[in-house]
Amino acid sequence: MNRNDQIRHVVIAGGGTAGWMAAAALSRLTGNGITKVTLVESDEIGIVGVGEATIPPIKTFNAMLGIDENDFLSQTEGTFKLGIEFDGWLRPSHSYLHPFGAYGHDINGIRFHQIWLKQCQSGFAVPFGAFNLCTIAAKLNRFARPSRDEGGAMPPLDYAFHFDAALYARYLSRYAQRFGVSRIEGKIKHVELREDGFISALQLENDLRISGDLFIDCTGFRGVLIEQALKTGYEDWTHWLPCDRAAAVPSGRIDPLLPYTRSTAQAAGWQWRIPLQHRTGNGLVFCSGYISDDEAVATLIRNLDGPQLGEPRVIPFRTGRRKLAWNKNCVALGLAAGFMEPLESTSIHLVQAGISKLLALFPSCNFSALERDEYNRLTALQWEQVRDFLIAHYKLNRREEPFWRACSDMGIPETLRRKLGLFAGSGRFFRYEDELFVEPSWTAVLLGQGLIPENYDPLVDTMNDSELQRIMMNMMSAVRHAAENMPAHADFIRRNCASTRIKEI
Ligand code: FAD
């Protein structure tokens, strides 16, 4: 590449979670002495400030930045997450966990859940969760990081984090600025376009003009660059993911400190509960066609487990995605790229995935259309795969309220219809092109939502039943034993990553 074609200035618009994640990851570009990274944020507008639960790949992002996990958790009031408990999603009083990590081990190349399905049909009635370490540890309220010599009969544990979103943005902001990113405070009032439609500069209300080669739009739902300036367009998914508002409020910390997120179905949506070291994050995601903001806030408050802290905030949103995540010389990340509601805590991950793809396809000033198309193709695929997983939770409910009836009656994308059909027949599952949620996740949610396959893989019949039952009993007791030997979640945090701001947790 000609040195003159090199991107010299990356401008990030927006300093929420997405903006600072991008800034932290792109700060490494400044090492060559040629490329500059500048982030513009507006204190007056602020950040959305929710988004406190993550999924396991965030550990890869932290590792890429060289972040010390204990320091990160202590500074963001973070806790560990072993999965999500879904209460009342199939019907009231029913509950299941979508844990991280595998269930059992495949045997002779045959999927463990297929073996379990056959044993169930022969009356071997052990719950599927008994073979998953995160499930049992979560039930016992225990946590420990997986040890290197784990293995043998036991499936490995995996984990993610809960953290305070505002503290996370601040943590990454310090990191990025330490590694050379410049921060400018100010409100963007105008986006300058060149004749070919590419962005040339941002004009701020304080009369600063910031020119650049590559622009990253992290301005949240506003999409100041990608939508307001470039008119990229939005693909609406509200007919499949109909919730369009969230009411959020923190409450006091409650004991015991649970190592998982709780999602409780309510009459016209669902309520999250996210345990942090210093408080609990709560929110009701709901569909405005079925309840008003006032009713939603009343439901949220009625179902808090601890004392309410502060006033509830209502956040409107529209599920869907930007038609092009990368348009001209602008890449949208975070809420500017779209939103699929927080049911499986995927938004922060999609920011991370967008950054990884951008680094893999980092452009020159020539902006290859082929590379841009590849970025957009991969992004669309990943968003659609996550979308299908979320829709499955709604589609398979058997609740009676009008909102839930409408969800079970709705049409679904062909890609999901095929997936559900394959699973309902003989528990088959195929992972397509780097799909984020893999077999254990789909199996947990589909079984949890009551989709029990009619049959099992006929290859299981080639194996000896009593031998299989012996192996399964060994797995089950290894899982139980490992979980029982872990410390309580709060004790683990106290010893390893207690907040520097609070003494007692
Ligand atoms: P924002 O936080 O809105 O930041 C936008 C930034 O742009 C701000 O700095 C703002 O000042 C700046 N800005 C905007 N306009 C201008 C302007 N004109 N000039 C200058 N600056 C400007 N994700 C998860 O992974 N897990 C979760 O559990 C989760 N829960 C969520 C719950 C809800 C109800 C919602 C709505 C989202 C949730 N998310 C979750 C998503 C998560 O909050 C976002 O992905 C994440 O916070 C990223 O937000 P953002 O940085 O894109 O936008």
Side-chain angles (χ1 to χ4, degrees):
M1 185 181 62
N2 184 331
R3 243 174 121 77
N4 293 331
D5 293 337
Q6 209 158 333
I7 297 278
R8 283 166 188 271
H9 194 191
V10 181
V11 180
I12 301 170
T17 305
W20 283 115
M21 281 178 80
L26 297 184
S27 64
R28 61 155 79 170
L29 299 176
T30 62
N32 64 7
I34 299 171
T35 311
K36 240 178 23 165
V37 179
T38 303
L39 183 143
V40 188
E41 65 180 327
S42 156
D43 290 343
E44 184 193 321
I45 295 176
I47 65 171
V48 72
V50 277
E52 310 199 308
T54 58
I55 53 176
I58 192 168
K59 297 199 294 302
T60 316
F61 186 73
N62 286 350
M64 180 184 90
L65 299 181
I67 284 177
D68 176 81
E69 195 171 287
N70 285 342
D71 176 59
F72 152 74
L73 285 166
S74 122
Q75 295 203 38
T76 58
E77 306 284 354
T79 64
F80 292 92
K81 174 180 170 188
L82 295 173
I84 305 177
E85 183 182 75
F86 288 96
D87 288 348
W89 273 78
L90 176 58
R91 61 175 82 85
S93 311
H94 176 271
S95 178
Y96 69 93
L97 195 91
H98 166 200
F100 303 134
Y103 288 86
H105 281 303
D106 297 351
I107 303 174
N108 295 342
I110 297 180
R111 297 294 195 217
F112 178 77
H113 74 273
Q114 296 285 2
I115 295 162
W116 177 82
L117 281 172
K118 173 170 181 197
Q119 299 308 318
C120 284
Q121 289 194 3
S122 337
F124 177 74
V126 176
F128 195 45
F131 302 95
N132 175 275
L133 187 50
C134 290
T135 303
I136 302 305
K139 287 206 161 113
L140 296 174
N141 192 22
R142 307 280 174 104
F143 180 78
R145 291 193 177 100
S147 65
R148 279 180 214 285
D149 52 359
E150 246 172 35
M154 196 173 59
L157 177 131
D158 205 352
Y159 64 93
F161 314 109
H162 305 115
F163 49 64
D164 180 308
L167 295 179
Y168 184 54
R170 247 178 270 160
Y171 182 84
L172 291 178
S173 157
R174 284 194 297 274
Y175 176 100
Q177 291 184 74
R178 197 165 64 241
F179 285 95
V181 173
S182 312
R183 170 187 183 269
I184 294 179
E185 203 285 317
K187 199 165 165 187
I188 302 160
K189 71 165 185 224
H190 179 64
V191 178
E192 274 179 34
L193 300 183
R194 299 189 322 216
E195 266 184 9
D196 59 4
F198 279 52
I199 299 175
S200 52
L202 307 181
Q203 287 178 16
L204 308 192
E205 280 185 354
N206 56 15
D207 288 338
L208 266 179
R209 177 179 181 275
I210 306 165
S211 60
D213 304 310
L214 172 66
F215 291 81
I216 319 264
D217 188 347
C218 299
T219 57
F221 291 124
R222 289 176 176 78
V224 175
L225 283 62
I226 194 83
E227 196 57 56
Q228 292 180 16
L230 296 180
K231 316 269 180 260
T232 303
Y234 196 76
E235 196 173 305
D236 187 301
W237 289 341
T238 46
H239 49 299
W240 289 319
L241 294 170
C243 289
D244 57 358
R245 293 172 95 71
V249 73
S251 60
R253 184 202 139 126
I254 43 156
D255 288 312
L257 192 65
L258 300 181
Y260 54 90
T261 304
R262 179 172 289 158
S263 163
T264 307
Q266 303 288 1
W270 60 276
Q271 182 155 344
W272 80 74
R273 193 182 73 159
I274 295 178
L276 302 177
Q277 290 191 36
H278 59 322
R279 62 165 170 80
T280 305
N282 310 276
L284 185 86
V285 175
F286 62 100
C287 180
S288 61
Y290 293 85
I291 50 167
S292 65
D293 285 4
D294 287 348
E295 288 169 303
V297 166
T299 305
L300 171 67
I301 290 171
R302 201 169 50 243
N303 289 295
L304 294 181
D305 290 328
Q308 180 184 338
L309 304 175
E311 284 309 304
R313 240 174 1 120
V314 175
I315 305 160
F317 58 82
R318 181 156 71 108
T319 54
R321 70 172 182 90
R322 205 67 62 196
K323 284 185 176 153
L324 298 174
W326 184 339
N327 191 3
K328 306 262 183 345
N329 59 342
C330 173
V331 176
L333 291 174
L335 300 171
F339 187 52
M340 279 190 277
E341 78 144 87
L343 185 55
E344 285 282 356
S345 325
T346 44
S347 295
I348 292 171
H349 175 75
L350 290 169
V351 175
Q352 176 185 343
I355 294 169
S356 305
K357 280 193 282 287
L358 176 60
L359 287 172
L361 290 164
F362 199 76
S364 68
C365 285
N366 294 326
F367 286 99
S368 149
L370 199 65
E371 289 173 0
R372 207 165 47 213
D373 289 351
E374 189 61 4
Y375 183 96
N376 285 326
R377 186 187 75 79
L378 293 170
T379 304
L381 180 68
Q382 186 168 43
W383 278 67
E384 283 162 14
Q385 288 169 339
V386 171
R387 174 201 69 193
D388 284 1
F389 187 53
L390 302 189
I391 296 172
H393 296 63
Y394 284 99
K395 174 70 184 170
L396 295 173
N397 90 85
R398 294 186 207 146
R399 295 181 62 104
E400 293 298 327
E401 298 95 332
F403 165 77
W404 291 101
R405 293 284 280 271
C407 291
S408 59
D409 289 346
M410 73 182 163
I412 54 174
E414 175 56 21
T415 38
L416 176 60
R417 199 192 58 72
R418 217 170 334 120
K419 224 168 196 138
L420 296 185
L422 279 169
F423 191 83
S426 300
R428 315 279 193 184
F429 173 86
F430 293 94
R431 185 184 184 193
Y432 302 102
E433 284 202 80
D434 259 353
E435 189 163 357
L436 173 61
F437 289 104
V438 289
E439 194 167 281
S441 290
W442 277 92
T443 311
V445 170
L446 298 186
L447 291 177
Q449 290 292 147
L451 187 67
I452 311 297
E454 261 175 54
N455 239 311
Y456 54 85
D457 182 343
L459 290 180
V460 185
D461 286 334
T462 59
M463 292 192 266
N464 177 300
D465 273 351
S466 51
E467 177 59 7
L468 285 178
Q469 285 181 13
R470 189 191 62 74
I471 297 172
M472 289 171 80
M473 294 309 283
N474 278 347
M475 282 181 195
M476 198 171 75
S477 53
V479 165
R480 183 97 210 160
H481 181 74
E484 282 173 351
N485 278 301
M486 291 176 186
H489 181 217
D491 287 343
F492 187 89
I493 290 178
R494 189 179 302 118
R495 271 183 235 143
N496 295 286
C497 46
S499 159
T500 45
R501 300 186 314 169
I502 47 173
K503 295 220 164 33
E504 267 304 301
I505 72 150

